[in-house]
Amino acid sequence: MKKSRTKSVAAAAVILACGVLALFVAYSTEAGKEAAFLDRTGAAVIWGLPVAKLVFNVAAAGTVGPLVLALFAFPPQGKAYLKALGLAGISAVLWTAAATATSVLSFHSLANLPLFSEGSGSIFVSFLTDVDAGRRSALTVLITATAALLCFGVRSQRAVAVTAALASTGLIPLALNSHAAGGASHADSTVSVVMHMAAAAIWIGGLATLVLLRRMLGTDLLAAVRRYSTLALLSFLALTISGVAAALAGIGTVEGLATQYGLILLAKTATLGILGVFGALHRKWILTKVESVPGKARGAFAVLAVAELAVMAAASGLAAALARTPPPTVSQSAPAQVPLRLPGLVDLFGSWKPDALWIFLCSVALFLYAAGMRRVRLQGRRWPPYRAALWFAGVTLLFLVTNGGLRVYQEYLISVHVTTQMLLIGVVPLLLVPGAPLKLARLATPPRQDGTIGGAEALTMTLRPLLSATSAPYLAAAGLAAVLAAVYYTPLLDYSSRTQFGYQAMAVLALLSGCLFTAAIARTTGAGHADDGDGRSGSSLASRLLALGAVAALYAVHGWALAQQADQLPDSRRQEWVIAVGQPWNQPLLAVVEPAGMAMWVIAASTLLAAAAMVLLRSRRPSAGTGKHVAQQPAKDLVLSSES
């Protein structure tokens, strides 16, 4: 026992040393610059901030990682589940302390004051209440403290899921206080940074939890490692995509790689590559060894995991140094604005603004759908090719809308913003919903028997309540009306065109409301047709056509309002939407009002006519089936399509 404890202490010391050493090497140059600039703060503030950020990152991983792993890998009746919640609670307390220290040190750094100087207390209170950065710091402390209390008090899986979601939001204020929040000279990359931090927290915290609880898991270690391996793969993909997006926003040009910021970024990239190799070893070697020789494999897993955690600690140290190093784009001139003119096809297809979140979601959607089709085929069933074609087309269109020219121009032109929103709310759902992804997920992913939450259980927990609440077409139409009001008559209109978080909120609301409405009108009644998974069959033909008519009237009113001038528009867009339309080479540019209302009318008419045709065609079929094998499955499932 004493020898085992000595090994554990030595492993922890090595991991800690790697993180601190990486931080010291990466930040020493920038610390010297800050010492000359912040001449009154002292070394305690200059070095305390990155150290506090390192502890912040590690504690966040120690909170989020165990919570996610407890849901995904540990049976709720087992000791490992309760132990993981305890580890998360202890880490959340440390996270709260680190967030408090970060808040205090950030204040002294911004004010250029030494620690505990005379009169700094009252100024610090003003900082927390009157300054945005201070309010966000206080919010972080509040979130982490609440998460700590919940970790020690909750036990049910739903409560743990809520706690994990709340803890993840504790990463957002820090990103808003960082260089990622954007400015006049560099792009907003806050969503990419939050996505990067959350993926790292799940990856690092999950692995540390497995190492600490490996003896307690016993024979369940193999299943836990397999499930963690899936989480690690998704985290690696999210880290890579978000890291590239954040790097592009921070560096700006290739020359930026030669700066201190660029060098630290290159070092982080190298650690990510090494971690990818470790991940491959886990999947190819450790999983096989755990399955064949469980006793000896536990030691091999621990050695490889400790080495991986040491590299992760070094990456965390580099991340803490990177957060305190200004990116080269801060000192560059402001980027040129996109000219206010109607974009042509070349502009729309030749312009790109990569979005890490939607690249990740689209990639995962394509991969999981293809994997589900493969599993169904191996089971001897047949999945209709037209469903797959519609799904892949819908995901492709979603990728183009969220990453292509429309994403670039929607920040400047209200007509393009309306086109983006209408494609997400009307066109993309018409392709995604008939693809029946939830039906495919149910067929390809059997429910888990040990009480843990897998893919099927996660879909049931998140989507079943939404499908049940919007099963009636008029309810789905009311939700669509509420989303349109939120998108056009609240500050979200202006916020979504300026910030990453605003755009993501608009895109998610539009896509979700469109999919729910399309699903509601796609459900049909009668034998041979699937329900929405909660025992409710589809509505009558008359009610679905009536809902389509109501939505058509809704679009007509909104389009008319958008076609008017400034006195008809919400406060956030109280200006004339006049743009330049290109004329022949020998003619001057012609100023015209943006065709925002026309864009809404054209897309709405097209999509609603297509939806009405789909409803009429399906209502005339005596029975529906996707094929001999799939049609034999029970009708009670989670389907977004009316056909089973």
Side-chain angles (χ1 to χ4, degrees), residues 145-233:
T146 305
L149 292 175
L150 291 175
C151 287
F152 289 117
V154 302
R155 289 297 179 265
S156 70
Q157 289 179 313
R158 289 185 180 275
V160 172
V162 172
T163 304
L166 175 65
S168 299
T169 62
L171 302 172
I172 297 176
L174 185 66
L176 293 175
N177 280 347
S178 68
H179 298 296
S185 61
H186 58 293
D188 176 11
S189 59
T190 47
V191 172
S192 299
V193 171
V194 171
M195 178 178 165
H196 196 79
M197 295 171 67
I202 294 173
W203 194 2
I204 298 172
L207 182 59
T209 304
L210 278 180
V211 173
L212 293 173
L213 303 182
R214 67 187 185 281
R215 291 188 177 88
M216 185 177 296
L217 288 169
T219 57
D220 293 333
L221 180 62
L222 174 61
V225 172
R226 284 189 181 278
R227 291 165 180 173
Y228 167 76
S229 182
T230 301
L231 289 176
L233 180 60

Side-chain angles (χ1 to χ4, degrees), residues 268-292:
K268 274 196 68 181
T269 304
T271 60
L272 183 62
I274 296 173
L275 291 174
V277 174
F278 276 117
L281 289 175
H282 272 294
R283 296 182 70 89
K284 297 294 184 181
W285 178 44
I286 293 297
L287 286 176
T288 304
K289 196 164 186 177
V290 170
E291 189 171 3
S292 58

Side-chain angles (χ1 to χ4, degrees), residues 470 472-483 513 516-517 520 546-548 550-551 554:
T470 59
Y474 68 88
L475 292 176
L480 194 64
V483 169
S513 62
L516 291 175
F517 177 73
L546 185 62
L548 285 172
V551 171
L554 181 68

Side-chain angles (χ1 to χ4, degrees), residues 107-108 113 116-128:
F107 159 72
H108 285 85
L113 293 174
F116 312 117
S117 57
E118 184 179 355
S120 61
S122 59
I123 305 176
F124 177 63
V125 173
S126 177
F127 170 74
L128 294 178

Side-chain angles (χ1 to χ4, degrees), residues 364 418 474 491:
V364 172
V418 171
Y474 68 88

Side-chain angles (χ1 to χ4, degrees), residues 6 18 50 52 78 82 95 158 175 186 193 310 331 333 341 431 452 488 531 583 608 626 637-638 643:
T6 303
C18 288
L82 297 177
W95 191 7
R158 289 185 180 275
H186 58 293
V193 171
S331 59
S333 59
R341 60 179 178 81
L431 298 172
T452 57
Y488 290 109
D531 56 34
Q583 298 293 299
L608 291 177
T626 61
D637 50 28
L638 291 171
E643 298 183 42

